[in-house]
Amino acid sequence: MFKNYLKIAWRSLINNKLYSAINIGGLGVGMAVSFMLLLYVYNEFTFDGFQENKDRLYKVMRNQPSNGEINTGDATPVQVAGALQKDYPEVEAATRVNWPYDQLFNYNNKPLKINTMAADESFLDMFTLDFVKGSKKDAFKDLSSIIMSESAVKAVFGDTDPIGQTVKLNGSRLVKVSAVYKDLPRNSTFRFKALMSWKLYEADNQWVKTSGWGNYSFLTFVLLKPGADVNKLNPEIKKLIGRYDDHNKENQLFLFPFTKWHLHSEFKNGVNTGGAIEYVRLFLFLAIGILLIACINFMNLSTARSERRSREVGIRKVVGARRVAIIQQFLGESILTAILSLIVALLIMASTLGYFNEIIHKQLTIPYNNAWAWGAAILVTLVTGLLAGSYPALFLSSFKPVKVLKGTNKAGKRTLHSRQVLVVVQFVFATCLILSSILIYKQINYIKDRPVGYSQNGLVEISLDGNLYKEFENFRRDIINSGAAVDAAETSGSIASNGSSSWGITWPGQLPGEDKIPIDQIVTSFHFISTYKLELIKGRDYIPGRMADSLSLIMNESAVKLMRLKDPLGQIVKWQGRNCTVVGIVKDFVWGSPYEPVKPAIIGFDKGWAGQVGIRLNPKASISKSLATIGDIYKKYNPEYPFEYRFVDENFSGKFENEKLLGTLSSSFTVLAIIISCLGLFGLASFSAEQRKKEISIRKVLGASISSLWFNLSKEFLILVIISFIIGSALSWYNMSKWLQHYTYRTDISAWVFIATITISMVVCLLTVSWQAIKAALSNPVKSLKNE
């Protein structure tokens, strides 16, 4: 019996090649996209899942009251790890970690920058590193030991055995490779390529040893003992800082699950509000939605072909076939179609996964060797086949044999409304995606067009490495004299991202508690305003060569507003323990999130804080030649270091990464949803034209024009699209309004967005059905009427 069902199913597919291709192709594309999205969702939900102690690992977080709100951050004082382990028996281990950054490795005069992190030895017991050479017991056996990943070892040493090899670190420190570990998985919070001990980090950064409880510059992680209850421990550690630091008693600590951080890293007023989990949920919704409209497409085409198969059902019932057997047959055909679609889906995935990875900036792979993945794929395929074939099977098996064989069955007309509903559902989904895509891009462009307060054109930044610390002024002079640059300044960080803030700042007329307000800070020496082309509203820039400016201060408008300084120039503001005179006020510039109001910021003076160099290229010279010239001059001062630069406008555009990703995916899926929906519409139009061929012939004989026949056949589908637009636009308006509420600066939902959406939908609909409508209008009426 099964063999016969299979034969019938195969013959049905072969005899109806167009419909079979549409069904298999549409379902295959839908499954391919859904599977790729599900791969992404699985990758995100299993982030850091390889950690053996994942259920006991926690990140130490800080809640800091400020100006009536609570700011949550992960930066902690260096002493927190030791205090937690000493004071709380529930803590099995704790480690300090710095923010990883690129450090110079030089082996056999081959310099290479490698992302390096420092941590306590306890880090190796807490977190999972898979050692391929050496062991964690001997990893930090002496101060000069360092461990590296396989890829870093390959880049530095090639095929040479790295164990025991000596490398020059940052042009001065000699270190030995004591162990090699496998590269961390891509879905890992930690992405470092080399790890040094905290003792070595302290030896090269003496300020770390002397930093007090007021220096929030490090990360802290803890491993709780088995059975320890974090909900009971959190209230106890809440006031740990207050016991050791009288100046920051209001700062409260709490432990946050390490594996939740990737998806739930956003806090508002001390409460976790989500994070990347919102995008993961969206992707999961898209995966289900795309698969659903592909299934609807299958149902639509199957029911549309019902009249052609009605006689087959009638004859089977007459010769004794039970309804259950007929249902099994049609479900079998549906499952066979789904299996063929799975094969098509795998081929599509294999050819497009690389492009998908480029869009989402991931390295997803098809898990060919994973039995669970195959089981899940087959299960989804079977469920898809059953879901897509259930309605057609139940519908077709319900035909009455007498009516069918007498030719009086009106199945096509009876299923009109059900097919219309299916088409409407498909186009509602497509409408939602079209509207969402337009609004996402409208919001991105709205924010990108917001003035940033400085000139990004021709502005590049480089790291202040090696000899540039002491030779910066000579380097600056040389690149300007060469004609490659017109200005340059050393700063503590990039102007494209606010990586530093300070509190404990006092000013005249300050209210109680305002000294606890964190204020963003960027520290520089000379030429900062002229290099970045900030707008100086009042006062002056720091005067070149005038070291007395270490007691001067420049602020932005928002800082003046916060401090309520009516005449800010000449006012004394205490910053970094120094009483500084305000000498300049600059117009607000976008330093943090471009979606939020500009925060108060201080541009401080201190040559010891420099870590970046901003360079304004000569606008009259070729960019490539200017960079080549600057690179040659850089090598003169820093022969061991590679010349690496970053354009500020490119760094700034990284702030829109999530929105751009959402826009790209939304537009891609919009096109896909439209294509899949059009496949169903095409099949339905074909069926409608066939059902109405006698009517069309009579109209044509009576003198109807081709244009009138085309309009008569197309209008019913246009009505469906209009209904879909009304429903879809209402849903989109509600959801996109909520999405836009996340942003302080947001675009409006203009009328032209809806006009564009309905225009796109109607044009797509007409293009899809016109071929069938015109084909029917041009057909010879004699062929349709000769039997009458």
Side-chain angles (χ1 to χ4, degrees):
M1 183 64 72
F2 177 78
K3 185 178 179 181
N4 288 334
Y5 285 163
L6 191 62
K7 282 183 179 180
I8 294 169
W10 181 253
R11 287 170 183 167
S12 177
L13 292 175
I14 296 298
N15 292 334
N16 299 277
K17 293 183 178 63
L18 176 62
Y19 285 98
S20 298
I22 292 175
N23 263 339
I24 294 171
L27 201 53
V29 171
M31 290 172 72
V33 174
S34 294
F35 286 163
M36 286 192 288
L37 286 171
L38 290 174
L39 275 178
Y40 170 82
V41 171
Y42 176 77
N43 178 78
E44 295 299 287
F45 276 124
T46 57
F47 218 87
D48 291 314
F50 69 96
Q51 298 287 352
E52 294 175 2
N53 298 320
K54 58 180 178 289
D55 295 331
R56 298 191 288 133
L57 285 169
Y58 292 86
K59 189 176 195 178
V60 180
M61 303 291 293
R62 178 193 84 250
N63 277 334
Q64 181 177 3
S66 170
N67 207 23
E69 294 184 352
I70 297 176
N71 296 322
T72 302
D74 56 0
T76 57
V78 71
Q79 297 89 348
V80 166
L84 284 169
Q85 193 157 9
K86 177 174 68 73
D87 296 348
Y88 301 97
E90 297 92 338
V91 177
E92 181 177 311
T95 183
R96 298 164 290 184
V97 168
N98 73 327
W99 271 276
Y101 62 99
D102 289 344
Q103 299 198 49
L104 186 71
F105 284 63
N106 195 320
Y107 176 74
N108 286 344
N109 295 319
K110 180 186 174 184
L112 187 67
K113 281 193 172 183
I114 294 176
N115 190 259
T116 307
M117 192 176 83
D120 288 303
E121 293 181 33
S122 55
F123 180 90
L124 300 178
D125 296 318
M126 297 168 58
F127 295 92
T128 302
L129 289 182
D130 190 358
F131 286 87
V132 294
K133 290 185 178 181
S135 65
K136 67 179 180 181
K137 182 179 67 175
D138 300 323
F140 297 135
K141 56 187 175 183
D142 56 55
L143 183 67
S144 64
S145 296
I146 194 166
I147 65 176
M148 301 174 67
S149 68
E150 284 184 304
S151 62
V153 163
K154 183 71 175 176
V156 174
F157 301 102
D159 296 327
T160 304
D161 186 357
I163 301 300
Q165 296 291 340
T166 300
V167 181
K168 187 189 289 186
L169 186 65
N170 295 325
S172 57
R173 167 74 68 175
L174 295 179
V175 295
K176 285 185 178 180
V177 180
S178 59
V180 180
Y181 59 90
K182 284 186 178 180
D183 283 84
L184 293 166
R186 295 249 175 203
N187 59 343
S188 169
T189 295
F190 295 116
R191 304 297 297 274
F192 56 85
K193 297 293 185 179
L195 184 68
M196 67 168 66
S197 70
W198 193 262
K199 293 177 182 177
L200 175 59
Y201 178 65
E202 282 185 333
D204 288 344
N205 299 273
Q206 291 297 319
W207 64 272
V208 176
K209 286 184 177 181
T210 58
S211 65
W213 279 89
N215 188 343
Y216 289 73
S217 300
F218 310 97
L219 300 175
T220 305
F221 298 91
V222 300
L223 177 69
L224 298 186
K225 292 179 179 178
D229 189 346
V230 68
N231 294 321
K232 292 181 179 179
L233 183 59
N234 267 336
E236 296 178 20
I237 70 169
K238 194 174 183 180
K239 298 184 178 180
L240 181 143
I241 289 180
R243 293 205 305 269
Y244 290 93
D245 183 14
D246 290 334
H247 298 291
N248 295 287
K249 286 184 177 181
E250 68 283 350
N251 289 350
Q252 299 176 348
L253 299 182
F254 66 95
L255 302 182
F256 191 78
F258 174 72
T259 53
K260 286 186 64 178
W261 175 252
H262 176 68
L263 295 179
H264 301 83
S265 59
E266 290 184 4
F267 289 80
K268 187 172 184 178
N269 211 21
V271 178
N272 186 261
T273 56
I277 185 65
E278 295 175 11
Y279 292 98
V280 175
R281 287 171 181 156
L282 176 63
F283 279 25
L284 184 59
F285 167 75
L286 286 172
I288 296 171
I290 293 291
L291 190 59
L292 183 62
I293 64 170
C295 290
I296 288 174
N297 192 54
F298 181 92
M299 293 181 193
N300 209 352
L301 290 171
S302 297
T303 52
R305 291 174 54 225
S306 59
E307 188 166 293
R308 287 192 173 188
R309 303 200 63 180
S310 59
R311 290 184 182 277
E312 174 192 337
V313 173
I315 292 171
R316 288 183 179 278
K317 284 193 172 185
V318 167
V319 298
R322 293 179 301 167
R323 186 179 182 186
V324 173
I326 295 173
I327 291 174
Q328 289 175 346
Q329 175 198 327
F330 286 118
L331 286 178
E333 290 182 16
S334 175
I335 292 172
L336 176 61
T337 302
I339 292 171
L340 293 174
S341 298
L342 174 62
I343 297 171
V344 172
L346 291 173
L347 293 174
I348 293 173
M349 286 178 67
S351 59
T352 60
L353 191 58
Y355 173 69
F356 183 63
N357 281 331
E358 287 181 16
I359 294 175
I360 64 174
H361 307 297
K362 300 286 182 182
Q363 287 296 323
L364 305 179
T365 57
I366 301 175
Y368 293 109
N369 299 322
N370 190 323
W372 287 101
W374 279 108
I378 292 171
L379 179 62
V380 170
T381 302
L382 293 176
V383 170
T384 300
L386 291 172
L387 177 65
S390 58
Y391 178 72
L394 293 171
F395 173 75
L396 290 170
S397 63
S398 67
F399 290 164
K400 302 296 182 184
V402 175
K403 289 186 177 181
V404 167
L405 296 177
K406 287 176 64 178
T408 59
N409 190 65
K410 301 297 181 183
K413 293 183 178 179
R414 290 212 321 267
T415 60
L416 177 63
H417 295 303
S418 62
R419 290 199 306 276
Q420 288 175 336
V421 169
L422 294 176
V423 169
V424 166
V425 171
Q426 285 182 314
F427 270 89
V428 163
F429 190 78
T431 299
C432 288
L433 285 176
I434 294 170
L435 267 167
S436 300
S437 297
I438 295 173
L439 284 172
I440 289 168
Y441 279 110
K442 192 169 182 283
Q443 170 68 6
I444 293 172
N445 290 328
Y446 178 80
I447 296 298
K448 287 177 75 174
D449 292 340
R450 178 188 170 196
V452 296
Y454 61 93
S455 175
Q456 295 179 340
N457 295 329
L459 189 60
V460 298
E461 292 177 332
I462 64 173
S463 297
L464 193 66
D465 292 323
N467 291 328
L468 283 193
Y469 278 107
K470 56 184 179 182
E471 297 287 351
F472 169 71
E473 292 300 333
N474 292 329
F475 170 75
R476 178 180 180 276
R477 182 199 61 223
D478 288 353
I479 63 174
I480 292 175
N481 290 340
S482 71
V486 294
D487 215 337
E490 53 185 348
T491 73
S492 58
S494 172
I495 198 171
S497 58
N498 58 334
S500 178
S501 63
S502 179
W503 59 88
I505 300 169
T506 60
W507 57 84
Q510 188 176 63
L511 300 177
E514 287 188 333
D515 60 323
K516 304 301 182 184
I517 298 175
I519 297 179
D520 289 345
Q521 63 184 10
I522 187 167
V523 185
T524 183
S525 55
F526 309 116
H527 319 291
F528 179 77
I529 292 177
S530 59
T531 298
Y532 287 92
K533 292 190 176 180
L534 296 173
E535 185 178 340
L536 188 64
I537 299 174
K538 294 181 180 179
R540 63 173 176 84
D541 193 358
Y542 297 123
I543 300 173
R546 181 175 174 173
M547 298 309 295
D549 269 344
S550 60
L551 295 179
S552 299
L553 207 62
I554 298 173
M555 302 187 299
N556 70 351
E557 294 173 292
S558 293
V560 174
K561 190 179 295 183
L562 170 70
M563 298 177 186
R564 300 176 300 279
L565 302 177
K566 294 182 179 178
D567 188 12
L569 296 183
Q571 298 284 355
I572 303 299
V573 175
K574 188 174 182 180
W575 171 76
Q576 296 298 325
R578 304 194 297 260
N579 289 323
C580 300
T581 302
V582 178
V583 298
I585 305 298
V586 297
K587 190 176 181 63
D588 282 344
F589 59 96
V590 178
W591 191 27
S593 169
Y595 298 102
E596 300 296 333
V598 174
K599 294 181 180 180
I602 284 175
I603 302 171
F605 182 99
D606 195 320
K607 286 185 70 69
W609 284 45
Q612 293 260 141
V613 176
I615 302 173
R616 172 73 58 183
L617 299 179
N618 188 345
K620 298 179 181 179
S622 163
I623 291 178
S624 58
K625 288 182 179 179
S626 295
L627 290 172
T629 302
I630 294 171
D632 292 338
I633 297 171
Y634 178 89
K635 281 293 184 181
K636 183 177 78 172
Y637 291 100
N638 259 350
E640 288 191 2
Y641 284 78
F643 176 61
E644 297 175 346
Y645 58 88
R646 301 165 298 278
F647 282 95
V648 170
D649 56 353
E650 291 179 359
N651 280 1
F652 186 81
S653 66
K655 296 174 181 286
F656 308 98
E657 202 63 47
N658 286 337
E659 284 72 20
K660 286 192 290 188
L661 170 61
L662 188 60
T664 302
L665 289 174
S666 181
S667 57
S668 300
F669 296 141
T670 297
V671 173
L672 181 67
I674 289 172
I675 290 173
I676 294 176
S677 299
C678 287
L679 289 176
L681 197 61
F682 177 82
L684 193 58
S686 175
F687 172 78
S688 179
E690 187 174 335
Q691 287 286 95
R692 299 176 63 182
K693 60 185 179 183
K694 283 187 171 58
E695 174 195 337
I696 293 169
S697 298
I698 293 171
R699 288 178 180 273
K700 197 169 183 180
V701 168
L702 294 176
S705 64
I706 293 176
S707 59
S708 66
L709 290 172
W710 167 80
F711 178 75
N712 193 269
L713 284 169
S714 301
K715 67 179 181 181
E716 65 177 276
F717 300 105
L718 286 176
I719 292 171
L720 296 181
V721 168
I722 292 170
I723 294 171
S724 303
F725 168 75
I726 294 170
I727 299 171
S729 59
L731 292 172
S732 295
W733 179 84
Y734 174 76
N735 287 302
M736 293 308 295
S737 295
K738 289 180 64 177
W739 180 72
L740 288 171
Q741 292 299 320
H742 287 87
Y743 305 105
T744 304
Y745 296 100
R746 53 182 177 267
T747 186
D748 59 336
I749 304 179
S750 309
W752 71 261
V753 175
F754 296 94
I755 295 171
T757 301
I758 186 61
T759 302
I760 292 170
S761 300
M762 293 180 73
V763 168
V764 167
C765 172
L766 289 175
L767 288 175
T768 303
V769 303
S770 288
W771 186 78
Q772 290 290 354
I774 294 172
K775 180 183 174 183
L778 292 174
S779 64
N780 188 348
V782 175
K783 291 183 179 180
S784 301
L785 299 175
K786 64 182 179 180
N787 293 326
E788 296 298 321

